[in-house]
Amino acid sequence: MQTIDLTRPGRTEFLSPVLVGCVGSGDLEVLIESAPEPVASISIKTSVVGSEVRWQQIVDAVDTDLELPAMKMSIHDFGATPGVIRLRMEQALELARKQEVPA
Amino acid sequence: MSSSQSKGFVDLSARKRVEILLDRGSMHELLSPFDKVTSPWLEKQGIVPQFDDGVVVAKGTIGAKSTVIAAIEGSFQGGSLGEVGGAKIAGLLELALEENKKGNPTAAVLLLESGGVRLQEANLGLGAIAEIQAGIVELRTYQPVVGVITGPVGCFGGMSIAAGLCSYLIMTREGRLGLNGPQVIEQEAGIDEYDSRNRDLIWGLTGGTQRFATGLADVLVDDDVDAMCKAVQGCLAKGVPAHHRSDEILGSLENLLKVDTSKQITADVAYQILTGVAKNDDK
C-alpha cells in the first residue's frame, strides 16, 4: 500500500459531501468534503505501489476538464485502472456540485 | 428510489440496500463514512481500508415502524467482519435493545453478506461476532430480527451462526448459507470431498432454494427490489416467533447422526435427512 498526497489550486464553490465507489477489486472509493482554503487537496491510499506519476497525470487531466474546486478529496484505491479512477473522480465531483445549497 | 420497473437487489451496494429497504427519507446512518472510522489494523498490514469498514448501520422506519438495519458490503474484503465493522453491528443491536427496554418497540434487519471473521483482525473480529450473536439472541425476545442473505458472497463462518439465530431468514436463489465456505472445506478436506468449483454441488447443498426447502430459511425471494421489500415487511409483521429455529437443537443433532460420512453427500440426501421425506423429481 502507498499513500500519495497531491495539492492543486482550487476554486472556492459550494460542495455537498459525497462518497462514491467501493474498495472492491478493480474499484475505488472517492470521498469529497468542502474546504475553506482555495486548495484542492487529494489524499490517496492505493494498493498499487509506485503509481505516483500516474495519479498526478489523472489529477491533472481531471483538473483540465473540470477545474478542481477547493476541497478535500480522499481516495481509497484497490487496483482500479486509470479509466475507472477518472470515472469515479468525475462522478464524485459531479454529485458534489449538483446538489443544491441547503436552505 | 423504487420504480415500477423490476430492479435487482443483489447488484446494489450495501448503502443502497439499506436506503431502499427503509421508508423513503427515513434513513439516518450512524457512524457514516464521513466519520472516517476505519479499521486501525488493515493499513498496518498494507491493506487499503474503507471509510465505513465495509458495514453500513442505520436507524429508520419500515412500514412506519422503528427499525435498525445493518448491511455488510460483500465487495470490500469479502464482507469480512473486523473490529470496527463488527462493533458497528453489535452497537446497533444494543441500541435497539435499549429502545425496546425503554418501551419503544424497535426491530432489526441484518443484511448478511459475509465470509465471516476478517482474518487480519482475528480475535477482535471473533469477539465482535460473539457480541452480535448475543445481541440477536436478546433482541429477538422483544422484536423480530430478520436476516437477509442475497449473494453473491453468501454468509459463512461466524456470521452463518448469527444468521441461524435470527427470528426469520430471507434468502434468494443466489444466496448461500454454510458454516464453512466451499474453498475452506476443499482446502481442509480435499477436492474429492468437496469441489468448490462444482456449482451444482455447492448451490445444491448450501443455496437458498435448498435452505428454504429444508426449513433452514423462511422465505425464498427473487432477486427483485420490490419482492425483497415485501419479504422483509412480511417477516417484520409476523412479530416474535413462538419458537426460534435455534432452540430446536435436539432435532438437529438427531439429523446429524443420520449422515453417512462414508459416502459423498448429495443435495437429495441432505434434503431427505432434514425433511424426513425423499425428494421427488424436480418440477
Side-chain angles (χ1 to χ4, degrees):
Chain A
M1 193 188 82
Q2 190 180 4
T3 303
I4 300 163
D5 288 302
L6 304 172
T7 54
R8 296 284 183 278
R11 190 176 61 181
T12 306
E13 57 184 291
F14 178 84
L15 294 177
S16 309
V18 295
L19 171 75
V20 300
C22 173
V23 192
S25 180
D27 205 345
L28 71 160
E29 65 176 350
V30 178
L31 187 144
I32 292 181
E33 296 157 292
S34 58
E37 304 297 321
V39 176
S41 48
I42 301 158
S43 156
I44 301 148
K45 288 191 170 111
T46 173
S47 60
V48 185
V49 176
S51 54
E52 192 158 3
V53 174
R54 187 148 49 95
W55 280 99
Q56 283 169 5
Q57 288 168 342
I58 294 168
V59 167
D60 288 340
V62 173
D63 193 13
T64 307
D65 273 9
L66 297 175
E67 209 177 322
L68 294 176
M71 64 168 176
K72 195 173 156 10
M73 180 184 266
S74 312
I75 293 173
H76 287 149
D77 168 48
F78 209 67
T81 59
V84 173
I85 293 169
R86 240 185 112 162
L87 281 173
R88 285 288 186 210
M89 285 173 87
E90 289 174 2
Q91 182 192 16
L93 281 169
E94 192 184 313
L95 283 172
R97 282 171 163 158
K98 195 168 77 182
Q99 276 147 34
E100 61 280 0
V101 184
Chain B
M1 289 308 299
S2 60
S3 65
S4 54
Q5 241 182 324
S6 159
K7 200 175 154 203
F9 189 79
V10 172
D11 288 337
L12 300 176
S13 70
R15 189 161 288 105
K16 273 273 175 257
R17 290 177 176 195
V18 169
E19 198 183 309
I20 227 156
L21 284 177
L22 289 169
D23 294 341
R24 188 189 287 239
S26 77
M27 178 177 170
H28 175 66
E29 186 170 353
L30 308 167
L31 267 190
S32 87
F34 297 98
D35 293 311
K36 297 181 182 169
V37 183
T38 57
S39 162
W41 309 105
L42 288 181
E43 279 188 64
K44 289 181 180 168
Q45 294 167 74
I47 298 167
V48 179
Q50 183 161 295
F51 284 118
D52 58 14
D53 201 31
V55 174
V56 178
V57 291
K59 283 200 299 187
T61 58
I62 295 180
K65 282 186 197 139
S66 176
T67 309
V68 297
I69 176 162
I72 304 169
E73 176 57 67
S75 309
F76 175 62
Q77 294 294 322
S80 61
L81 278 193
E83 184 183 15
V84 172
K88 280 168 87 169
I89 302 178
L92 185 79
L93 292 169
E94 237 170 79
L95 186 79
L97 201 56
E98 269 173 36
E99 287 299 322
N100 282 298
K101 285 179 179 168
K102 275 194 261 171
N104 309 321
T106 304
V109 177
L110 306 175
L111 307 182
L112 304 168
E113 208 60 45
S114 177
V117 67
R118 183 178 294 158
L119 297 180
Q120 294 90 344
E121 307 191 22
N123 293 349
L124 295 166
L126 284 174
I129 290 177
E131 279 179 43
I132 291 168
Q133 291 167 352
I136 294 172
V137 170
E138 202 174 349
L139 183 59
R140 73 182 188 183
T141 61
Y142 290 89
Q143 286 286 313
V145 179
V146 180
V148 179
I149 303 169
T150 61
V153 172
C155 183
F156 296 98
M159 291 313 283
S160 70
I161 303 175
L165 294 170
C166 288
S167 317
Y168 305 102
L169 201 53
I170 299 169
M171 290 185 75
T172 65
R173 203 166 282 116
E174 295 88 344
R176 289 171 299 159
L177 171 65
L179 189 57
N180 286 126
Q183 278 154 327
V184 174
I185 302 176
E186 184 188 298
Q187 186 183 313
E188 295 302 317
I191 197 159
D192 294 337
E193 171 80 24
Y194 206 66
D195 181 352
S196 68
R197 275 178 291 185
N198 183 341
R199 286 185 64 93
D200 288 348
L201 174 73
I202 305 303
W203 262 267
L205 284 169
T206 62
T209 308
Q210 170 88 341
R211 292 312 193 199
F212 174 68
T214 55
L216 291 170
D218 304 277
V219 186
L220 183 69
V221 289
D222 287 333
D223 173 25
D224 174 78
V225 162
D226 292 334
M228 184 60 76
C229 288
K230 272 197 199 113
V232 169
Q233 286 164 12
C235 285
L236 289 173
K238 279 194 263 184
V240 176
H243 298 286
H244 286 100
R245 203 175 357 250
S246 62
D247 291 332
E248 292 148 24
I249 300 170
L250 289 178
S252 302
L253 278 177
E254 249 171 57
N255 285 336
L256 260 186
L257 293 173
K258 293 181 203 156
V259 177
D260 178 1
T261 52
S262 68
K263 279 186 231 140
Q264 166 78 57
I265 196 162
T266 63
D268 289 351
V269 171
Y271 178 88
Q272 193 176 345
I273 289 171
L274 288 167
T275 61
V277 287
K279 195 168 187 185
N280 292 322
D281 292 328
D282 281 338
K283 286 164 270 175

